[in-house]
Structures are given as C-alpha cells and as structure tokens.
Amino acid sequence: MSSDVGDVAQAPHAFELALRRMVKRKIASRVALVALLAGAIFTAWRYYSTDAVRTPPAGARGPATTVAAAEVMRGDFPVVVSALGTVTATATAVVKPQVSGPLLKVRYTEGQEVAAGDILAEIDPRPFELALAQAEGQLQKDEALLRNAERDLARYESLRNKIKDGVSGQQLDTQKALIGQYRAAVDIDRALVGRARLDLDYTHIAAPIGGRIGLRQVDPGNIVQTSDPNGVAVVTRISPITVIFSLPEAKLQSVLKRFRFGEKLAVVAYDHDRAEQIARGALYAIDNQIDASSGTVRLRAEFANDDESLYPNQFVNAELTVETLKGVVLAPAAALQRGAKGPFVYALDDDEKVAVRSVRLGPSDGERAVIESGLEPGQRVVVEGVDRLRDGAKVVVTRPPKGGPSNVGEPAAGKRKEAPAERRAEKTEAR
C-alpha cells in the first residue's frame, strides 16, 4: 500500500520532467531553424554583394550593347524655313451688272476659261435703247435751236452794220446769251446720249479679267440689280498663282538681305501632311510691316501652276530655301543627344567603344544637322540604342539605322562571331 502511494506521488514529477524535455526540444528546434534561416540570409547577402562587386560597370568589362551607327558625311545643306501658307489667286473679280434689268441670256459654261472682254450674260436692252433714242432726240432739238439762234445773231449784226442803231446793243447781248444757253444744252444732251449708249453697252456683261469662271450665281429670267453682292459670276486667275505665308521676325533679315540683292529664293509647296511636293516657285514679295500681335511678317511666293495643282484658298506647307551651305559636316539628327553641358554624340572608335563628343550645332532639317565643331567626316556615330550607353561603353553594331543605307553601321563578321564567346566567358567568370 505504501508503494502504491509512492508511485502516485511520483507520477506528477515524472510528467513535469517529460513536459520540460518536450519544451526544451521545441525551443532547440526553433533556435536551430532561426539559425539556419539567418545563415541562409547571410550567405545570400554575401553572394549577391560579392557578385555586385565582381560585376564590371557598363563600358568596362560588361557585355557589349547592340547599337546602330551611321557615318558623318561632308556635303551641301540647304537652309530651309517652313510655314503654313494659303494659296491666293493673282486676281479675282466678282462680275456684277452695271445696270439693273431682267437677265435674258447666260453665255458662259461653269468652270470654263474666259478672256478679258468676253460676253458672259445679257440684260434686256430695250429700255436702254429707248433712253438712248430719247437722249439723241433731245440733242437734235437743242442743236436745231442753237443753229437758229446763231443765224439770228448773224442777221442782227448784219442789220446793225447796214443801218446805224437798227439793232440795239442790248438785243445783241441777249441773243449772244441765248446762243450760250443752247450750246450748254447741246453739251448736256451729248453727255446724256453718251450715258445712254454706255448703259446700253452694259446690258452685255463682259468678263473684266481673264481666268477660270466659277459657278453660276443667277439664272436667266431673274431681275439683276447693281447692288447684288454676289454678282452674276466670279472669275479667278489661277495661272500663275501665289501662296501667302508668314515667317518669324527673327528670320526676316536673312531672307530680306538676299531678296534685296535680287537672288531668286526657291519656295516649295507641300500638301497638308507634308508628304508630297505639289509645286515649285519663287519668292515674289515681302510685306512692308511686321504684325505686332504675332511677331511675323507675310511673304508671297509665285508659282506657274500650269497643271493647276494649286487651288485658291488651299492650305499648303511652304518651305523657303534661304541659302545653301557648301561642304559642311553633316550628321544624322538621331545621333544628337542633349546634356547638362549641351549637345553631344556617342562616337565609335576603332575598338568598338563609344566616346562622348560635345558638338556645336548649326541648322537642322529634322533628318540631318550641320556640325560646326566636334566631329570630322568619316567618323561613325550611334543613332540607335543610346539609352544604355556610357562613355567608354563597348558596343556591337549589328544593323544599319532604320531607313538608312544597308552598308552604314555594318560590323565586321569577326566581331559578330566574337560576341557570343565573350558572353560565355563572362558568365563562367560570374559563376
């Protein structure tokens, strides 16, 4: 009985010991897990930090960057200024009637070419023929009265010469005054006859200028008035034709200097998308003042327009060639980069490495740029793939620039074969 009691008394103690051993094992396992994780993290940190130290910077021993290159050339460069222009006819005339009346005939076809003086329409001439006849009758009447008064004056003077005091001086003066009145009346009648004849001529509506006639504005049978704003038709001279465009005042002097010396400055008109050349002409005139609101000056260029490729009120892109720079250094505009110290390019050396070259720029047309200093003809510059480059970076030129000649920027065959081997060596070293 006492042994049983002792066993019962020892049972809680044994359970407590077992529980403690279990807790210790769990704590030891957790400590081991934490140590394992810490070791893994430390190992990874050492690995990546060592790899970062071993990884060479761009331009030193890193893999070569694929780029496209083009060669700097020497050539002529036209200095061109561009502006949006409006095609304007050299002459436009709204054909209006000079007298009012019913329109009898329309003698033109819409869109036809007419010459100055061609009859385009006719107004009913009968009222004007009657007015002319009335004016001519009045003229004949007054001419008859004038002739009779002149004969009376001749009789009075003859009678006075034969019979002293046969005719008084007052009567002679009155007769002379009457003759003056009749002469004035005759002059007025002649003017009225001329006016009536002119109105009769105006019943035949003629083209004031030569050119292309537009759409008909009024049909026969309508009463036309001299106050009609639209007139009978519109005649426009479209050959030759002009284009009016504006340039900033900063560019005026370079244009004005050559224009005053009689140079023929070429102007090319392009379509709205600047994709197709429409016509070629020359600068014709420069406005006499600058627009203060926009700081621009208007210019007019003339085009032969024999093929009628330009039409009045058409919008075009005008390009004025101010001058042509001879034998200048030209580089692709895609090679130009901007930095804190100004424009620069990545130039290729013989070791297929790039070097930053600061350049001084001249005029540019969007595709090429004049290099005033910093580059020489024959040098190659990077035009694609510059985003990943640094000074001294190694590059592989594998293809020409888009849209460029196939032989520009092509690398040697040996260079292409060496690139994969270099990459394999670098990967082995990294491992």
Side-chain angles (χ1 to χ4, degrees):
M1 176 106 184
S2 61
S3 61
D4 292 339
V5 172
D7 293 338
V8 171
Q10 292 178 356
H13 181 68
F15 176 78
E16 183 179 357
L17 292 176
L19 183 61
R20 287 180 179 179
R21 286 196 294 268
M22 185 182 298
V23 171
K24 288 180 179 180
R25 283 198 297 269
K26 287 185 179 180
I27 293 175
S29 62
R30 289 182 180 179
V31 171
L33 180 60
V34 171
L36 182 62
L37 290 177
I41 293 173
F42 179 77
T43 303
W45 174 76
R46 288 293 303 272
Y47 176 81
Y48 284 108
S49 62
T50 305
D51 183 72
V53 171
R54 287 203 308 264
T55 301
R61 296 169 54 194
T65 303
T66 302
V67 298
E71 186 177 347
V72 178
M73 308 292 290
R74 184 181 294 277
D76 298 341
F77 183 84
V79 179
V80 178
V81 291
S82 303
L84 183 64
T86 304
V87 180
T88 306
T90 53
T92 300
V94 179
V95 183
K96 293 184 178 181
Q98 301 296 312
V99 293
S100 302
L103 189 65
L104 294 183
K105 297 180 181 179
V106 173
R107 291 189 174 183
Y108 64 88
T109 302
E110 294 173 320
Q112 80 172 77
E113 292 286 337
V114 297
D118 289 350
I119 302 301
L120 305 179
E122 292 183 12
I123 297 176
D124 187 1
R126 291 174 297 177
F128 304 97
E129 292 173 348
L130 296 176
L132 175 60
Q134 182 180 1
E136 290 176 342
Q138 185 65 38
L139 174 61
Q140 293 175 1
K141 174 184 176 182
D142 290 338
E143 286 179 341
L145 291 175
L146 175 60
R147 289 193 296 270
N148 184 57
E150 290 175 344
R151 285 193 293 268
D152 288 345
L153 178 60
R155 294 191 190 98
Y156 293 156
E157 290 178 344
S158 177
L159 181 60
R160 186 175 183 180
N161 292 332
K162 293 179 179 180
I163 302 174
K164 187 177 181 180
D165 298 331
V167 177
S168 63
Q170 180 180 1
Q171 190 174 1
L172 289 175
D173 293 338
T174 302
Q175 190 64 26
K176 290 179 181 179
L178 183 61
I179 291 174
Q181 293 178 8
Y182 287 150
R183 285 177 178 172
V186 168
D187 291 338
I188 293 174
D189 294 338
R190 287 174 179 170
L192 292 176
V193 170
R195 178 56 190 239
R197 188 174 288 114
L198 184 61
D199 289 343
L200 182 60
D201 291 339
Y202 282 152
T203 59
H204 295 79
I205 303 175
I209 61 173
R212 174 73 58 81
I213 198 168
L215 302 180
R216 186 169 63 248
Q217 303 290 340
V218 63
D219 297 323
N222 290 279
I223 303 296
V224 294
Q225 305 287 339
T226 58
S227 59
D228 290 342
N230 297 327
V232 177
V234 178
V235 180
T236 303
R237 184 181 300 157
I238 59 177
S239 180
I241 205 166
T242 63
V243 172
I244 296 178
F245 58 98
S246 299
L247 289 182
E249 59 179 324
K251 299 181 180 179
L252 174 61
Q253 292 303 319
S254 59
V255 176
L256 194 59
K257 180 173 62 176
R258 289 167 177 81
F259 184 74
R260 284 175 175 173
F261 280 100
E263 293 187 26
K264 190 175 182 181
L265 303 181
V267 179
V268 181
Y270 290 89
D271 60 2
H272 188 270
D273 297 328
R274 206 182 287 270
E276 181 181 357
Q277 177 179 317
I278 302 176
R280 297 184 64 89
L283 185 62
Y284 176 75
I286 301 176
D287 203 356
N288 60 353
Q289 59 183 351
I290 295 174
D291 188 351
S293 61
S294 62
T296 59
V297 60
R298 298 197 307 166
L299 290 80
R300 185 190 294 271
E302 187 177 61
F303 299 81
N305 202 35
D306 295 331
D307 57 353
E308 297 184 3
S309 56
L310 296 175
Y311 227 66
N313 296 330
Q314 176 184 357
F315 288 101
V316 297
N317 287 289
E319 292 191 353
L320 170 64
T321 302
V322 180
E323 61 178 329
T324 300
L325 303 177
K326 301 291 185 180
V328 294
V329 178
L330 302 175
L336 301 176
Q337 306 298 317
R338 300 283 178 177
K341 297 181 179 180
F344 66 94
V345 298
Y346 287 106
L348 287 166
D349 57 16
D350 296 336
D351 297 331
E352 295 299 327
K353 293 183 179 179
V354 295
V356 175
R357 298 285 181 85
S358 298
V359 295
R360 189 172 65 181
L361 300 179
S364 175
D365 60 2
E367 296 182 359
R368 303 177 303 166
V370 176
I371 306 299
E372 297 181 351
S373 64
L375 290 175
E376 296 296 332
Q379 289 183 305
R380 291 186 301 164
V381 291
V382 178
V383 294
E384 291 184 13
V386 298
D387 297 337
R388 301 181 300 276
L389 294 182
R390 296 292 184 271
D391 189 16
K394 183 185 296 184
V395 296
V396 175
V397 185
T398 59
R399 56 190 174 87
K402 296 180 181 179
S406 59
N407 60 347
V408 176
E410 286 288 339
K415 296 293 183 181
R416 290 179 179 172
K417 293 180 180 178
E418 291 173 3
E422 292 176 0
R423 293 193 186 99
R424 287 196 297 270
E426 290 165 355
K427 290 181 179 178
T428 303
E429 182 182 355
R431 295 195 189 96

